Amino acid sequence: YNDWAIELFGPHADRFAPAAVIPVDDIPGAIAEIERVSRLGYRIIMTPAVMSKLPYNSPEYEPLWTAIEDSGAVLSLHARAVDYDPFPDGIGEEEMGGFLKWIVLGMAESQDPVTIFIAAGVLQRHPRIQFTIAESGAGWLGWLLYTLDEHVVKKHMWVRPKLDMMPSEFFKRQGHLTFGDDPAALNNLS
């Protein structure tokens, strides 16, 4: 995919910015692919939004964050891009309500990497990483950042690592969201 996409869109970098898809279940392999696609001209690296088997706050990812930071590419995490099968048997059945649940709660899972990147100190240790959460809406962001800030203030004695800035400041410096139709987000712009 990565070779095909850069071959097709690379000559039109003034109009297109394809994302290189990077599986991260093999971290050394992922790092090698990040270095390779960076040489090909990619400006966006996409990894799964949620890694449940080895969450992004695991120390094993530290070389990956360094590689992403060194590449200068934007890290993109897409809603519902996860390391497990989110489709239960019968998801399309009327009585299951599965599709609606999957689509909405799949978007909500995008709070996971935002929280981890801030709380585990990834953004503090790698201040040049820029990341975006794609197609997850944005109305939830105000609540999440407020709640993270609130708990850093009220429960600072338990927060590890100690953060140099408030969680909302890390997001303002390094985080981004994409969304389509989200009046709640637009209503809460500050």
Side-chain angles (χ1 to χ4, degrees):
Y1 170 84
N2 292 340
D3 291 338
W4 169 81
I6 202 69
E7 183 179 310
L8 183 64
F9 297 107
H12 310 286
D14 59 322
R15 293 183 292 160
F16 298 102
V21 177
I22 309 292
V24 296
D25 53 346
D26 169 12
I27 295 172
I31 292 168
E33 183 65 357
I34 288 167
E35 292 167 351
R36 187 182 81 82
V37 298
S38 294
R39 289 190 300 273
L40 292 175
Y42 274 97
R43 298 173 286 167
I44 302 169
I45 292 168
M46 186 169 75
T47 66
V50 175
M51 292 296 292
S52 62
K53 295 176 185 91
L54 184 67
Y56 284 138
N57 57 348
S58 300
E60 290 90 339
Y61 287 108
E62 192 59 26
L64 182 78
W65 307 137
T66 298
I68 291 169
E69 186 175 38
D70 290 348
S71 78
V74 173
L75 173 60
S76 178
L77 302 116
H78 195 282
R80 296 171 301 281
V82 295
D83 69 342
Y84 61 89
D85 181 2
F87 298 106
D89 290 340
I91 192 169
E93 303 294 325
E94 184 176 330
E95 63 275 4
M96 289 289 290
F99 183 76
L100 184 57
K101 174 189 173 292
W102 175 78
I103 205 83
V104 173
L105 293 183
M107 293 168 68
E109 278 186 309
S110 294
Q111 295 177 62
D112 186 70
V114 174
T115 303
I116 285 176
F117 290 169
I118 293 168
V122 173
L123 301 181
Q124 181 165 278
R125 290 188 308 277
H126 300 280
R128 292 180 293 123
I129 286 180
Q130 294 290 309
F131 75 97
T132 187
I133 305 295
E135 292 193 53
S136 293
W140 51 267
L141 182 65
W143 172 85
L144 179 65
L145 295 178
Y146 174 84
T147 303
L148 288 168
D149 285 355
E150 176 188 31
H151 287 284
V152 164
V153 170
K154 293 180 178 176
K155 297 174 178 130
H156 58 88
M157 64 289 290
W158 294 304
V159 174
R160 299 286 184 280
K162 292 293 182 194
L163 300 174
D164 296 340
M165 300 187 304
M166 295 299 286
S168 61
E169 294 172 313
F170 282 107
F171 188 86
K172 287 176 187 172
R173 182 177 78 183
Q174 295 169 259
H176 311 275
L177 297 175
T178 70
F179 63 92
D181 184 11
D182 194 339
L186 295 174
N187 189 49
N188 292 313
L189 282 176
S190 60

